[in-house]
Amino acid sequence: QVHLVESGGGLVQAGGSLRLSCTASGSILKVRFMGWYRQAPGKQRELVAGITSGGRTNYGDSVKGRFAISRDNIKNTGYLQMNSLKAEDTTVYYCKADVDLFTGETGTYWGRGTQITVSS
């Protein structure tokens, strides 16, 4: 029903920046929430940043002041601007969206993930 596609991952030097995007496609009436999560080795998956349809944002403690999330409601696309990247940011980042469909149904959908590697 809904497909999420992430882009913008890759390799970057410590202190540098990357910008991720996540686009939702399908019979979408509204994307209520869109965010990124990550899971470091040996740890549970954690929220990196999230944004509601109204533009309210929240961030994980480890990225506050460094990352910024935004969205384009018309394009059903979310963006994650990552600045001052550190080696410990290295992992796979997953996009998640909570979606209202034209059928009246709701659902949560995940992207396949994109690898971020920060060299020290």
Side-chain angles (χ1 to χ4, degrees):
Q1 293 181 351
V2 175
H3 188 218
L4 303 184
V5 178
E6 303 118 325
S7 64
L11 175 65
V12 67
Q13 189 178 53
S17 299
L18 286 173
R19 187 178 185 236
L20 303 181
S21 65
C22 177
T23 299
S25 61
S27 300
I28 299 170
L29 176 64
K30 184 178 184 178
V31 179
R32 290 188 173 275
F33 173 88
M34 181 171 283
W36 274 266
Y37 295 74
R38 68 187 185 187
Q39 187 170 10
K43 297 183 178 181
Q44 296 186 9
R45 185 170 296 185
E46 65 174 349
L47 173 71
V48 178
I51 187 168
T52 69
S53 60
R56 187 170 67 177
T57 60
N58 52 85
Y59 297 91
D61 289 339
S62 63
V63 306
K64 288 180 179 177
R66 298 190 297 123
F67 292 6
I69 190 169
S70 61
R71 64 185 292 167
D72 184 330
N73 290 336
I74 296 175
K75 296 180 178 180
N76 288 330
T77 298
Y79 305 94
L80 182 66
Q81 180 67 45
M82 302 183 292
N83 300 319
S84 301
L85 284 162
K86 306 174 181 178
E88 49 263 45
D89 295 319
T90 296
T91 190
V92 179
Y93 287 66
Y94 299 90
C95 180
K96 189 191 84 169
D98 298 328
V99 175
D100 294 340
L101 305 178
F102 282 106
T103 61
E105 302 172 21
T106 62
T108 297
Y109 300 89
W110 290 86
R112 295 187 181 276
T114 184
Q115 176 71 47
I116 302 297
T117 302
V118 184
S119 61
S120 59

